[in-house]
Amino acid sequence: NPNQPEEVLRELERCFGELGMRGLKLHSDMHRYPFNGPNYVPALEFAHQNGLPVLVHGVGSAEALAAVAERYANANFIVAHMGGWDGLREEPVLEVVATRPNVYGDIASSYGYYRSFERLVERVGAEKIIWGSDSPLHEPRAELGRVLFSLCAEEELRLIPVSYTHLTLPTNREV
């Protein structure tokens, strides 16, 4: 929680050292704190030093995401809910996902527009997409169905992890 900066390092050490946590989730929208704000620096540095995946819910802007991803290049950033993109409107964050080697997108979403998943694969590349689910809030089979029954080539679909039982998070460390 960036609104409690004095507790961040202690909590990271507890969660990773004692509880076996394997990645971070930064929810800047919920915390009402900018993704590139200084109170996130300790968590971002921790992720960078340990080669961790960082799921980000709310990046503010494509520029903020690109700058953070460049500064903390040993961390892998996963933009949450890219599956909610309609496939039609301009979305600058997609360019960052497509071009930055340490930025990915998950496709968790409560809705999906007709053929938007196929357009997402075309725009950022299947290798930059991670299947995600908002389960138990939303039914994961529907979210998985958008992938499995899409018109994407089988070779593309094989690049997207589709089950938490074999999900490989992009990480730069042995787990």
Side-chain angles (χ1 to χ4, degrees):
N1 184 342
N3 297 307
Q4 299 172 343
E6 67 284 348
E7 296 179 19
V8 171
L9 286 177
R10 184 173 56 249
E11 187 65 3
L12 288 169
E13 290 169 4
R14 182 183 77 82
C15 289
F16 284 88
E18 298 173 26
L19 303 178
M21 204 160 101
R22 296 176 58 185
L24 299 177
K25 179 175 183 177
L26 304 182
H27 206 308
S28 63
D29 290 346
M30 183 178 75
H31 289 126
R32 296 182 180 171
Y33 190 83
F35 167 62
N36 59 346
N39 289 359
Y40 275 129
V41 167
L44 293 168
E45 286 180 351
F46 185 88
H48 173 73
Q49 291 166 357
N50 293 284
L52 299 173
V54 180
L55 179 65
V56 184
H57 195 288
V59 297
S61 69
E63 293 80 12
L65 175 60
V68 168
E70 183 174 340
R71 181 172 179 189
Y72 304 102
N74 199 41
N76 285 306
F77 295 90
I78 305 166
V79 179
H81 304 294
M82 281 186 7
W85 178 57
D86 64 11
L88 302 174
R89 65 184 158 77
E90 188 59 33
E91 179 51 71
V93 167
L94 296 180
E95 183 65 22
V96 179
V97 173
T99 59
R100 290 287 317 163
N102 64 328
V103 180
Y104 302 82
D106 90 10
I107 56 170
S109 180
S110 58
Y111 55 89
Y113 295 92
Y114 182 72
R115 300 294 175 228
S116 62
F117 176 75
E118 290 86 345
R119 287 189 287 276
L120 182 63
V121 169
E122 182 179 306
R123 179 81 184 268
V124 303
E127 70 281 359
K128 300 302 294 272
I129 296 172
I130 297 172
W131 179 79
S133 168
D134 276 343
S135 179
L137 184 61
H138 300 289
E139 174 56 57
R141 290 177 290 192
E143 297 184 42
L144 182 57
R146 283 191 300 172
V147 174
L148 298 179
F149 296 106
S150 72
L151 298 178
C152 293
E154 188 173 328
E155 300 78 38
E156 291 174 314
L157 295 180
R158 289 183 191 278
L159 297 173
I160 303 169
V162 294
S163 166
Y164 284 126
T165 60
H166 72 276
L167 177 63
T168 305
L169 292 176
T171 181
N172 293 331
R173 71 177 184 139
E174 296 287 325
V175 288

